[in-house]
Amino acid sequence: MPKYYEEKEEDGRACGGVREDLRQCLLESPCVLQENKSPKQCLREGHCRSLQNTFFACKRSTLDARARFRGKKGY
């Protein structure tokens, strides 16, 4: 289960769970810890790509008018 659900208060923003998991993934990646790069640089290099795609799909679904019937993507 994603870390977002374990003993954390709820984020009121859209796609807050995916955002928090992406943030944790980047901060715990070897790119940030060992190479001392910024999380933004690591994201551009391709770290945590699956969470980045999930976050993009979730944010896109908030703008999509069809999402009223289908619900938001992500968690």
Side-chain angles (χ1 to χ4, degrees):
M1 182 166 266
K3 293 181 180 180
Y4 177 72
Y5 291 113
E6 297 172 4
E7 301 176 9
K8 293 213 176 190
E9 65 226 26
E10 223 175 285
D11 189 6
R13 296 183 290 182
C15 308
V18 182
R19 177 183 283 120
E20 181 67 27
D21 286 343
L22 180 60
R23 182 180 303 137
Q24 285 296 355
C25 178
L26 286 171
L27 291 176
E28 294 173 358
S29 69
C31 178
V32 172
L33 295 176
Q34 295 171 356
E35 298 174 19
N36 295 326
K37 294 182 181 178
S38 70
K40 189 174 185 177
Q41 289 174 329
C42 295
L43 194 60
R44 286 184 181 156
E45 291 177 4
H47 296 277
C48 305
R49 182 63 69 183
S50 62
L51 281 173
Q52 184 183 11
N53 289 338
T54 304
F55 183 64
F56 173 76
C58 183
K59 292 297 277 187
R60 191 175 80 189
S61 73
T62 60
L63 298 174
D64 190 6
R66 295 176 293 177
R68 293 179 297 165
F69 304 108
R70 296 180 183 164
K72 287 192 293 187
K73 304 276 192 239
Y75 45 89

